[in-house]
Amino acid sequence: MDTSVANLVICEHCDAVHRRHELARGEVARCVRCQALLYRCPWLDVNSMFALALAAAVMFFIANTWPIVSLGLNGIHRSATLWGAIFAVASDGAGLVAVLVALMLFFFPLLQVILFGWILGFLRLHRRPPGFVPIMRILTAIGPWSMVEVFLLGTLVAVVKAGSIFDIILQPGIWAFAALTVLLTLVASFDLRRMWVLQRERCA
Amino acid sequence: MTTEAVATAADLDIVACHCCGQVCQHAAGDICCVRCGTHLHRRKRDSLSRTWALLLAAMILYVPANLLPIMRTGSLFSSQDNTILSGVVELWRNGSWDLAVIVFVASILVPLLKFAALLVLLISVQMGKDWRTLGRARLFRLIENIGYWSMLDVFVVTLLVALVHFQKLSRVDPGPGVVYFAVVVVLTMLASMAFDPRLIWDTAAVARKHADD
Ligand SMILES: [Zn+2]
Ligand SMILES: [Zn+2]
């Protein structure tokens, strides 16, 4: 009974039952009833994904240590890092906003980078990642709340708004955030469901 | 269309794990996923009442989020309150019409679209309508995918507060509106997560069965 069930895929959006097909690279399977994405076969293999996760970790470090932008007014300059901004908002009486920003732009992206790297690092060595089940639960839960790409657009808006009064100097942090956005989007687009299949195939 | 011929997991007494996707037998009662141990439910629990509660809370807080200033810009002699709408107008006046459109869409249009869409989805499901099922399913996926872009203005204020801080000469402080607005975005995201899109198809199937009888 279990072998026949293992071959089925149920659409999360409408409950329709499908038989699983092998996909070619880059192909996606959609639900016949509601057209939601069922599963996909990624372009990249585990090794390349692991390399992307490592690159994302480096970019995350740079993005959070270097300033993002500097403003100049009459020769005085002021630059901001992400944490500088979080503390500034917290000390100005918007503590709830500071907590949300810290979670969405620092802690959740950091967890994504570390946990994806951890799982992929073990899978590429054909070993079962310690803590696999709880890690997959955390990754599923935090996915929608990680918002680096929104922050990048927000930086652009803030720079344009301030640019009408102040001198603007873009700092390395902004480019690191841009690179992190691309890398994190690629890493996070990895179908989490596929991890379970890989985990079974590679660590049998 | 082939929609009539589709077998659902509920018909076949099976259920997919919402954590790992594993398909499990589900005749009755409480069961756990055989692969990852997650508690399995056929449908999200109390989906409609939870979505209603979160949506109503978001709609109420949306009023102060738009009326109260999201930030105060001050210089030596004057200070000015900025709301979400005045921020868009200011960008437009300064000639950045493209960014003005982006901020307008993210901060004003997307939350309103989410309210309207969730209301339509909730009411149509509760009335048991067999009406544009595919369109409603797509509408749900749209608001689920674009909702988080509304955080844009919150991040803009955060950065400006940190950057524009030249003692008394010129500074930006966060206003109470930005706290309300951030909470509204979080609540609308929670509301769309609480809604179970399978109910669209469940109620449509029931309505069709009644129509056939
Ligand atoms: Zn479907
Ligand atoms: Zn499971």
Side-chain angles (χ1 to χ4, degrees):
Chain A
M1 200 65 203
D2 209 54
T3 47
S4 67
V5 163
N7 234 342
L8 298 178
V9 184
I10 299 173
C11 174
E12 274 195 308
H13 284 255
C14 75
D15 219 25
V17 179
H18 304 77
R19 213 170 293 285
R20 185 184 287 276
H21 293 285
E22 280 306 311
L23 296 180
R25 242 164 209 239
E27 272 188 328
V28 296
R30 291 191 175 276
C31 172
V32 293
R33 183 155 78 162
C34 76
Q35 295 171 10
L37 183 82
L38 287 176
Y39 51 97
R40 59 179 153 205
C41 184
W43 285 103
L44 300 167
D45 59 12
V46 171
N47 278 314
S48 336
M49 290 301 295
F50 181 65
L52 285 180
L54 281 187
V58 173
M59 283 305 150
F60 187 88
F61 180 74
I62 299 175
N64 282 284
T65 42
W66 263 265
I68 303 164
V69 272
S70 302
L71 287 196
L73 180 71
N74 306 332
I76 317 166
H77 282 269
R78 207 183 145 77
S79 46
T81 59
L82 175 63
W83 275 99
I86 292 167
F87 283 126
V89 172
S91 66
D92 248 348
L96 184 61
V97 171
V99 170
L100 286 176
V101 171
L103 287 174
M104 292 165 173
L105 300 182
F106 185 84
F107 289 108
F108 292 160
L110 177 66
L111 269 177
Q112 279 186 311
V113 169
I114 291 177
L115 297 181
F116 267 113
W118 175 263
I119 287 182
L120 291 164
F122 278 97
L123 285 184
R124 66 189 276 274
L125 301 173
H126 296 268
R127 287 175 55 190
R128 189 184 153 82
F132 184 70
V133 171
I135 288 175
M136 290 304 287
R137 262 197 212 135
I138 295 171
L139 281 175
T140 313
I142 65 177
W145 302 99
S146 168
M147 301 191 183
V148 177
E149 61 268 45
V150 184
F151 179 66
L152 198 62
L153 185 59
T155 313
L156 180 67
V157 175
V159 162
V160 169
K161 279 194 169 191
S164 56
I165 306 170
F166 306 94
D167 308 322
I168 304 277
I169 305 137
L170 296 181
Q171 298 286 355
I174 184 80
W175 307 115
F177 258 109
L180 177 64
T181 302
V182 175
L183 291 167
L184 205 56
T185 310
L186 283 172
V187 173
S189 73
F190 198 79
D191 192 351
L192 282 177
R193 296 287 153 79
R194 195 166 176 83
M195 293 274 201
W196 293 94
V197 180
L198 278 174
Q199 195 255 134
R200 195 179 53 212
E201 283 170 357
R202 293 194 153 226
C203 311
Chain B
M1 273 295 285
T2 52
T3 47
E4 303 287 333
V6 170
T8 67
D11 298 336
L12 300 178
D13 278 339
I14 51 178
V15 60
C17 172
H18 40 87
C19 177
C20 73
Q22 170 78 34
V23 176
C24 303
Q25 303 284 342
H26 186 311
D30 246 10
I31 62 155
C32 292
C33 172
V34 292
R35 181 155 65 182
C36 73
T38 306
H39 263 278
L40 298 185
H41 314 287
R42 276 185 196 290
R43 299 291 176 263
K44 293 179 189 171
R45 284 211 162 153
D46 307 318
S47 170
L48 293 179
S49 49
R50 285 181 50 216
T51 311
W52 267 119
L54 291 162
L55 175 64
L56 289 177
M59 287 170 83
I60 292 167
L61 294 178
Y62 187 67
V63 178
N66 276 279
L67 294 182
L68 295 174
I70 56 167
M71 62 179 184
R72 268 189 203 101
T73 50
S75 64
L76 219 43
F77 309 106
S78 66
S79 87
Q80 191 193 342
D81 283 347
N82 297 269
T83 59
I84 287 169
L85 197 60
S86 77
V88 175
V89 173
E90 185 207 305
L91 273 173
W92 185 277
R93 283 213 187 113
N94 288 345
S96 324
W97 61 270
D98 37 8
L99 283 181
V101 170
I102 289 174
V103 175
F104 176 78
V105 169
S107 303
I108 296 172
L109 213 57
V110 168
L112 289 177
L113 177 74
K114 272 190 101 161
F115 292 155
L118 283 171
L119 281 175
V120 167
L121 290 169
L122 283 168
I123 292 170
S124 65
V125 163
Q126 282 184 325
M127 289 172 64
K129 288 271 199 251
D130 173 21
W131 165 72
R132 291 181 181 231
T133 37
L134 185 57
R136 280 188 287 154
R138 281 200 184 130
L139 180 66
F140 176 72
R141 286 208 294 278
L142 176 74
I143 60 166
E144 222 192 5
N145 290 332
I146 61 172
Y148 72 109
W149 283 94
S150 301
M151 282 303 280
L152 184 68
D153 252 346
V154 177
F155 298 152
V156 171
V157 171
T158 305
L159 255 184
L160 286 178
V161 167
L163 283 171
V164 186
H165 216 98
F166 299 93
Q167 278 91 39
K168 290 196 179 69
L169 226 53
S170 179
R171 56 180 292 147
V172 170
D173 292 301
V178 76
V179 182
Y180 285 105
F181 192 75
V183 173
V184 167
V185 178
V186 170
L187 286 174
T188 55
M189 283 179 72
L190 290 172
S192 71
M193 285 174 190
F195 183 77
D196 194 332
R198 286 168 288 205
L199 297 175
I200 300 170
W201 303 91
D202 291 348
T203 50
V206 172
R208 208 170 305 145
K209 205 180 267 173
H210 279 299
D212 289 346
D213 289 344

